[in-house]
Amino acid sequence: MTKVLLNDLTVRDGNQSLLATRMEKEDIIRLVEKLDKVGYNALEVWGGATFDTALRFLRESPWEILREIRKAAKNTKLSMLLRGQNLVGYRLYDNETLERFIRLSIENGIDIIRVFDALNDMNNIEYPVKYIKKYGGHCQCAISYTVSPVHTESYFVDLVKQMAEMGADSICIKDMAGILMPDAAYSLVKALKAVTELPINIHSHTTAGLTNLVMLRAMEAGVDIVDTAISPFSGGTSHIAAETIIESAEYIGKQVAYSEEGLDEAYELADKVAQKYIDSNQYNARALVINPKILQYEVPGGMLSNLMSQLQDQNMFHKLNEVMREIPVVRKDMGYPPLVTPLSQMVGTQAMLNVLRGERYAMVPNEIKEYLRGSYGKSPAQVDPAVRAKILGDEPEIKPRAISELTPVFAEATRELSDKLGREALEEEVLSYILFPQFAVLVNEKESRDNKAQESNTNEVIEFEMFIER
């Protein structure tokens, strides 16, 4: 009987997809303590939007949250999601910043780093792979799965060959929108198994209602690892329930090692935590509704929940379907980028502006302009020349600088932050400051900071307002 391993994504991607990553630290830690006893291959707990929202909304240090998670997970490997050279931000960062971030992530408890690039541009994962390997982390390279005239099975097989040559320890099929069809999943897993012996991990959201069939076919094809969430945080824009996968795997003769008692205990707590967020209206019921139109719009779960939240905040929720219809138009104009961070936010924002302004590209975020200039990497297909001309005029195409030529910023950021604090800034504080300068919250939890706070008779959280980074 062949084995299937399970990952749990409850406190990272499940949290992001259903709660817009607003789960409080205390709930995260309590859930991790229970999930740690189930017998998962890994718990995805960090990276992606968790870093941003910890600073921006929870007013917590993401590094301190990671350390507390590591203490709570005594038995299970921890994984994180890294946006390649974008780290957990929305632009390309220099290699000194990248290396420091990866080293600190591993030192503070991360075992597995799932690295991807929004454009599947291998130039943007070359150095992340190098540094993950240098500091002893397990490097899982992910293909950003999407559907378009250029994204064929052979395209993805070629990407995986390159990832294997770079030194990947495992491969992830990252279906961030839940658009992978069952037979396509079977065929792709078989094709990847034919070209690499690396373990294959499959990740797919349940937005379109197909994921049970997708995972069944992927397991039949020999996939090694399946991403899941505990059932109270599964479904809709989130992931398939671990309980469902266990039953499905056993039905087709696949062995899943887990603790039934541990899973029951994790469910009981998760059910109570979910109810807490339901009662406070933070658990987005609309995000649980199956939406087959996602197969056309290709909107990722986390993007959809945040898009709904943004439109609701602006009293424009009635425009949701119109914005959704506009997203594929913008994506085609932009050369079919996969809709995953940061491109999903960029395309989604542009589609929303097109609808709310009543004219396409009348208002264009700077990030879209930079994308058209090539600052994020090579677009999968050619950008519509008319759209580029409307946005950039007759601005000539400029070949972006190589990643290795990006100017290091750590030293200057350290001086800036230290001047503001009146003391030498810690390395992790500087990295937070580089990534999200306006929301770099310094939490007085360590003794040195507590003492300093007492000396100055203030326990206020410090927030630096430099600029808003979308």
Side-chain angles (χ1 to χ4, degrees), residues 131-155:
Y131 297 134
I132 293 167
K133 302 289 287 183
K134 177 178 178 179
Y135 293 104
H138 176 108
C139 180
Q140 183 176 91
C141 289
I143 56 175
S144 296
Y145 183 84
T146 189
V147 176
S148 83
V150 297
H151 292 96
T152 61
E153 185 177 282
S154 61
Y155 169 92

Side-chain angles (χ1 to χ4, degrees), residues 7 56 65 115:
N7 290 338
R56 190 185 302 257
I65 291 175
V115 59

Side-chain angles (χ1 to χ4, degrees), residues 443-462:
V443 183
N444 296 323
E445 292 182 334
K446 289 187 176 180
E447 271 187 38
S448 59
R449 286 188 246 176
D450 286 338
N451 292 337
K452 186 173 179 61
Q454 290 170 5
E455 289 170 9
S456 61
N457 295 316
T458 178
N459 286 311
E460 289 185 276
V461 171
I462 303 170

Side-chain angles (χ1 to χ4, degrees), residues 342-353:
L343 269 300
S344 54
Q345 286 85 344
M346 290 158 57
V347 170
T349 298
Q350 185 64 66
M352 187 161 59
L353 288 172

Side-chain angles (χ1 to χ4, degrees), residues 104 113 143 198 240 285 295 326 357 396:
L104 273 187
I113 298 183
I143 56 175
L198 296 176
I240 195 164
L295 299 174
E326 182 67 11
R357 298 282 292 192

